[in-house]
Each structure stands twice: as structure tokens, then as C-alpha cells.
Amino acid sequence: MKVKIGELSKMTGCEVVTIRYYEKEGLLKRPERTEGNYRIYEDDDIARLRLIRHCRQHGMSLSEIRALLAFSDNPTSSCDWINTLIQQHIEDVERQIENLLHLKRHLENLSHQCDGGKKKDCGILKSLINGEPCKYCQKRES
């Protein structure tokens, strides 16, 4: 199947500008062109873009995707490193969950500071000004 960039965008849910960016970054191969200079993509390009999109949805960086694509194009060694990559992402997600749960608890504590008073007597604002610093927030500022 041969499709133009607009059709590829609709098929994959990937914006046209992002497809062009992936081409510029070398993640997608330069497509054929029609006589009218329209990009033409084939089944391999569609599959490659779907792989890239799924990797991005799973939080992978462009360099990680580049390595996966290179391996996919030429699988000459063990793929154990891919499992290690996924394990690293799992650990990152677990850290993010832990940080978000801490932030949620901090925000819940703040919400309990509200006594429905007037603006200058707002318990939340007072707590934000005078309260104990949030360790999670301090990490994010670093």
C-alpha cells in the first residue's frame, strides 16, 4: 500500500509535522516522492511509524527508539538489552508514582488548611507561606 503523508497521519494518529520531524531525526527513512513532490509511504514506513509512536507512548527517548530501530533493522545480537531498557522504564515509573503519591498527600494536607475564611485569612495561603517545605517539591526545584 502506498499513502501520502496526510493519509499516514490519519492511519497512525501522528501529526504531519511530527512525521516530518521523525524523518529529519532519521527515525523514518526519507520517503519516495511523486512527480508532484508528494511524499509516498509504504507498509514498512507505516509499521516503523507505529513502532515509534508506541515507544513514545511508553516514555522512550528518541535515542532509545533509534537503538531499537537499529536493532530491528539488523538483529545480530541478543535482545537482552531491550528487557533491561524496559526494566529501567518500570523503575522510573515506580519513582514517579511514589513522588506523585507524596505530592497528593501534601496537597490533601493543604486542602485541610482551608477554613472558608476571607482571602487574607486563607489557611491554604498561610500554609503555603509559613508551612513546612515539601521534600518532593524541593527535589523538583533542584
Side-chain angles (χ1 to χ4, degrees), residues 43-66:
D43 291 336
D44 288 346
D45 302 310
I46 296 166
R48 192 172 183 94
L49 181 57
R50 285 186 173 141
L51 171 65
I52 294 167
R53 294 272 296 153
H54 286 129
C55 289
R56 292 298 288 155
Q57 289 169 344
H58 288 90
M60 293 184 193
S61 69
L62 294 183
S63 62
E64 291 169 335
I65 295 169
R66 238 181 235 100

Side-chain angles (χ1 to χ4, degrees), residues 79-88:
C79 65
D80 287 342
W81 66 274
I82 297 174
N83 191 44
T84 301
L85 173 69
I86 296 303
Q87 286 301 111
Q88 289 171 343

Side-chain angles (χ1 to χ4, degrees), residues 4-127:
K4 293 181 182 175
I5 196 167
E7 295 167 285
L8 178 63
S9 173
K10 287 178 188 169
M11 291 173 68
T12 61
C14 189
E15 297 288 330
V16 169
V17 67
T18 305
I19 295 169
R20 289 184 184 130
Y21 174 73
Y22 290 155
E23 286 175 20
K24 182 180 158 218
E25 289 296 312
L27 298 175
L28 287 174
K29 298 171 186 165
R30 296 264 179 220
E32 292 179 39
R33 298 278 185 149
T34 65
E35 288 181 21
N37 205 30
Y38 290 103
R39 290 172 167 88
I40 295 293
Y41 300 90
E42 297 186 20
D43 291 336
D44 288 346
D45 302 310
I46 296 166
R48 192 172 183 94
L49 181 57
R50 285 186 173 141
L51 171 65
I52 294 167
R53 294 272 296 153
H54 286 129
C55 289
R56 292 298 288 155
Q57 289 169 344
H58 288 90
M60 293 184 193
S61 69
L62 294 183
S63 62
E64 291 169 335
I65 295 169
R66 238 181 235 100
L68 286 168
L69 290 170
F71 182 82
S72 177
D73 291 342
N74 191 17
T76 58
S77 60
S78 168
C79 65
D80 287 342
W81 66 274
I82 297 174
N83 191 44
T84 301
L85 173 69
I86 296 303
Q87 286 301 111
Q88 289 171 343
H89 277 273
I90 290 169
E91 291 169 14
D92 289 344
V93 167
E94 287 172 347
R95 271 191 298 278
Q96 290 172 16
I97 290 169
E98 182 181 316
N99 288 336
L100 288 171
L101 286 171
H102 177 84
L103 179 59
K104 179 182 179 224
R105 287 189 300 272
H106 187 76
L107 291 170
E108 287 170 343
N109 288 336
L110 274 177
S111 73
H112 295 300
Q113 301 300 317
C114 181
D115 57 8
K118 295 197 180 199
K119 194 174 185 180
K120 73 177 191 174
D121 295 323
C122 177
I124 293 175
L125 288 177
K126 283 182 182 178
S127 183

Side-chain angles (χ1 to χ4, degrees), residues 126-138:
K126 283 182 182 178
S127 183
L128 287 171
I129 293 167
N130 301 319
E132 290 293 316
C134 171
K135 292 176 187 172
Y136 170 75
C137 301
Q138 289 174 332

